[in-house]
Amino acid sequence: MNRKGKISLTFGTLLFIASACYNDNKEEIYQNANNDCDTSNVTYSATIKAIVTANCAISGCHSGTNPSANLDYTSYADLETSASNGALVNRINGRGALMPQGGPALPECQITQIETWVNDGAPNN
């Protein structure tokens, strides 16, 4: 093959490769990223209580003799109050003071599970 043919072949190959590239949007690329996040059966006893116990109902926060904002999340009652008035979802999404205070934000899956539970009426199940 002569030099002109090699250049044409190289250019054609590069053109073919470049035409195969395009921009996907983030939602299409990562549409299955949260498949391991179960939101089909979110309950207080099996899902929410564990998240709250590990991140909110800890010493110096929403537990003990002097809980923050007088909300003791070791019981369902105060958590349900925060869920019903919108404060819980607002705080974990960073509207107002981000909770958990002084720590990293909750993982997206846990936020989605809490939102699902709240949207279902925050049942004590």
Side-chain angles (χ1 to χ4, degrees):
M1 183 181 292
N2 64 23
R3 184 168 187 221
K4 192 173 188 178
K6 287 181 183 179
I7 292 173
S8 293
L9 180 61
T10 302
F11 180 74
T13 302
L14 289 174
L15 184 61
F16 173 76
I17 291 171
S19 69
C21 297
Y22 62 95
N23 275 336
D24 283 319
N25 65 40
K26 179 171 75 172
E27 290 77 19
E28 289 175 355
I29 294 172
Y30 299 107
Q31 65 183 342
N32 296 321
N34 276 336
N35 280 349
D36 59 343
C37 183
D38 184 11
T39 58
S40 62
N41 189 26
V42 176
T43 64
Y44 172 73
S45 60
T47 313
I48 304 304
K49 187 173 184 177
I51 296 170
V52 170
T53 298
N55 296 284
C56 312
I58 55 178
S59 179
C61 293
H62 296 289
S63 70
T65 57
N66 190 23
S68 181
N70 290 322
L71 296 169
D72 184 351
Y73 288 170
T74 59
S75 71
Y76 168 80
D78 283 353
L79 184 63
E80 192 278 331
T81 298
S82 293
S84 295
N85 69 21
L88 179 63
V89 170
N90 284 339
R91 297 292 194 215
I92 63 173
N93 281 307
R95 293 187 288 271
L98 176 64
M99 297 291 156
Q101 187 174 28
L106 294 175
E108 192 63 37
C109 179
Q110 290 181 351
I111 291 172
T112 301
Q113 289 171 324
I114 292 171
E115 290 172 335
T116 298
W117 176 71
V118 170
N119 290 337
D120 288 345
N124 187 3
N125 52 3

